[in-house]
Amino acid sequence: MKDSNAARQLEAALSTAKDLLIGNPEYSEIPDVAGYADITDQWDKGYREMLEAAILDGDCIPRHTEIVDYPKNSITFRPIARFSARDRLIYDALIFSVSANIDRQIRKPVYSYRWNHRDGRPKFWFKPWKRMQVEARKALESDKMLRMATLDVASFYEHVDVDILADDLGCLSRRADGSKNLNKFLVSFQRINHAWGLPQGSDASGILANLYLAPVDEYLFKSGFKYLRYSDDVMIFHRDWTELRDILSEINRILRARRLSMSAQKTKILDPEDAFRRIHDVRKASLSAACDIGIPGTYLDVRQYFDEIIKEESADTRSLRFVINRMGKLGDDYAVSWCLDHLPFIAHVAKEVFTYLRIFTSRVEEIQRKLVEFMRSGASESYPYLEQRILRYFLTMGLSDARLKESAWIILEDRNREDFPREFASRYLGRSASVSEAQLLRHKFEEEPSVTMRRALLMSLYESKNLSSRYLRDVEEYFPQLKWVCRFLQDEPLIPVS
């Protein structure tokens, strides 16, 4: 009976991992070249059983990881771990298997990466974040004399010590081998990549991050201070400045024992008025409500806010995302030209920008022309995430451009580039490939060392209509890691674009 329960729990964890990986492609920093359509198609045809067997056998070492320096703003980066689908699903499932137990240890004032015990899956980030902001406003409004200390950990995920985390997980499971597969994954991730700590890019890592910061929560709870936390973003409320400073000093010692340090720039003690401004941006709240209600003339106020933001020497990332999203909601193309002219400086908001650009079909010619100019300028090589978004835009909009095709060949043939733009380049080429170009794509497939690239090239050959059933069977036989995409393509599907 125990083994039967464990099997059901593992199956549920894998299904949750699959649903979350596939269900929100627009929230992914690096979308999959086919929206994981092959995984969805093959899930109940042996793919899930393959993952279950790997976990039960302890085969949990990541086989393919690409560390992507993804922009935080115009000049700084954070390392995103781009796993193969197999590795990502195993990693997430291992965490989801222990998430309910982790969440029971986390105090109520923590809003990030909480577990929905009824549905058996993580809670989506947006509502908990908004609830935390509401609670912070309530605290400050309840006592006009309250100060607020803000705390942030420097490069938090990167400096999580996996050995300390392994001890935490061991205490949680109360069995020496209770988390051995997860520990094995994390140790291997550090040893074979130019990365350390927790993999970034998966929300599942946030669940482990909560456990790692549990001693901070415990200390704050026992201190009796009102506090709120979202990941490593902590707000502590008290009237007395000295008391808040002493609290921060003790937290710093707790963090240091866990190989962490506070961010000097983001750790502050704010007076009541500044604290409320930090929590409640009256102007944003007003503009957001006006957009939701549909008040006439709101677009003019949004435009004015946009103009003010872009005049700043370094535009605030949150504000830029906010205003672009509101313009998209209003169907206002006011920012289209500015976005196209400033692509290299706003790569950190690429998700929002390209969602915005796709709305305005009446300006496709201008958008197409400027995107092609950017790709052919030579500047795109420094911005692989923009190359991927541009190629994805052309695929999504069904656009064909001979000059972009030339750029796509350059990207595909450059093995020094990251895989993810090369994958989209191959699909773009496959959509309009001549017979001779398809033959060249087949040659690229056969000499390509990367399994993820071979997967994309196989889809490209399929869409070029130059992939025979015989060749597909041969690929399945000689490249076992590609058997799932081969079986998917045998049914002659329509492959989505993310």
Side-chain angles (χ1 to χ4, degrees), residues 387-399:
E387 289 182 334
Q388 185 203 45
R389 292 281 172 176
I390 291 169
L391 289 161
R392 183 171 179 253
Y393 173 84
F394 274 74
L395 285 164
T396 302
M397 302 299 287
L399 301 175

Side-chain angles (χ1 to χ4, degrees), residues 108-219:
K108 187 176 179 181
V110 179
Y111 286 81
S112 55
Y113 305 106
R114 299 309 300 257
W115 189 253
N116 188 322
H117 293 269
R118 183 187 62 188
D119 296 339
R121 61 181 52 219
K123 295 180 181 179
F124 189 58
W125 70 271
F126 183 70
K127 287 184 179 179
W129 170 260
K130 295 292 286 184
R131 281 200 299 273
M132 188 180 77
Q133 301 302 305
V134 169
E135 288 300 315
R137 288 199 298 273
K138 285 181 181 178
L140 293 170
E141 288 170 348
S142 68
D143 184 348
K144 302 297 184 183
M145 302 297 290
L146 278 181
R147 290 180 169 86
M148 182 176 76
T150 63
L151 161 66
D152 198 280
V153 178
S155 302
F156 173 39
Y157 277 46
E158 294 169 70
H159 289 101
V160 168
D161 188 302
V162 296
D163 291 328
I164 294 175
L165 179 61
D167 292 341
D168 295 340
L169 289 167
C171 291
L172 189 71
S173 67
R174 300 188 182 280
R175 289 178 21 235
D177 64 344
S179 56
K180 64 178 181 180
N181 283 338
L182 183 52
N183 296 339
K184 183 188 296 185
F185 189 103
L186 290 171
V187 170
S188 299
F189 167 72
Q190 288 198 139
R191 287 179 178 171
I192 63 177
N193 296 290
H194 293 164
W196 53 92
L198 287 177
Q200 298 186 57
S202 166
D203 283 348
S205 289
I207 295 170
L208 296 181
N210 268 350
L211 179 64
Y212 200 75
L213 287 181
V216 174
D217 297 326
E218 197 63 24
Y219 168 71

